[in-house]
Amino acid sequence: MSDLRELYQQVILDHNRNPRNFHELPAATRKVEGYNPLCGDHYTIYLDLDGETIRDVAFVGSGCAISKASASVMSSMVKGKSRDEADALFERFHRLVTGDSSLSADELGKLAAFSGVSEFPARVKCASLAWHTLHTALAGAENVVSTE
Ligand code: ZN
């Protein structure tokens, strides 16, 4: 295992053990549920949108370590960002976990922790769940997201 891979592993373990923004959000203007039936990952993502800005984001739910760490990293990255910036991150994350290795470390930031996921197709849905749910919430739909 390379040092880099070990560092990524640490990020995922840390965010799984101590998930950021892991609570309900009474002030949320959008609330969307995401479900990955293949693994049983199930989260609700709350967004407090102020015009084009994500004023606050939080999530609750349960699932495997990858899915929870991904939701935690997602929430910490998009808080305070504009809708366009969040969509750009979603796009980058999607490229990363589907095996696009052309993204630079600068473009990825903490997302790089999930670069190993593309080697495990079954885990791609786990890692993507929170991002897909966020994407749906930003698009204005209020419904249940399933990655199946
Ligand atoms: Zn999972």
Side-chain angles (χ1 to χ4, degrees):
M1 184 181 267
S2 70
D3 287 351
L4 200 57
R5 186 55 68 80
E6 208 158 303
L7 175 73
Y8 293 162
Q9 198 68 29
Q10 287 305 318
V11 171
I12 290 172
L13 287 175
D14 172 45
H15 277 267
N16 176 50
R17 277 196 205 113
N18 305 298
R20 318 301 197 267
N21 309 298
F22 189 58
H23 54 80
E24 294 185 1
L25 194 64
T29 55
R30 303 264 168 86
K31 176 184 165 192
V32 176
E33 246 181 283
Y35 182 47
N36 171 18
L38 291 179
C39 180
D41 311 317
H42 191 187
Y43 296 97
T44 301
I45 290 181
Y46 300 87
L47 279 185
D48 180 6
L49 277 176
D50 180 14
E52 288 296 303
T53 304
I54 300 172
R55 182 161 43 195
D56 206 356
V57 52
F59 74 102
V60 295
S62 61
C64 66
I66 297 264
S67 67
K68 186 177 269 186
S70 181
S72 173
V73 168
M74 181 278 287
S75 71
S76 64
M77 286 185 87
V78 304
K79 196 190 268 200
K81 296 278 198 306
S82 73
R83 190 192 290 254
D84 286 350
E85 287 170 321
D87 273 336
L89 284 169
F90 166 77
E91 196 60 41
R92 271 176 235 166
F93 187 81
H94 187 70
R95 283 166 59 192
L96 178 74
V97 297
T98 52
D100 181 346
S101 55
S102 68
L103 295 152
S104 70
D106 274 357
E107 286 175 300
L108 289 171
K110 259 189 262 170
L111 294 181
F114 298 91
S115 58
V117 167
S118 64
E119 294 163 34
F120 304 97
R123 308 323 293 272
V124 170
K125 287 175 192 294
C126 299
S128 307
L129 179 62
W131 286 96
H132 280 289
T133 309
L134 170 78
H135 188 66
T136 300
L138 286 173
E142 198 157 328
N143 55 18
V144 176
V145 174
S146 167
T147 58
E148 197 174 47

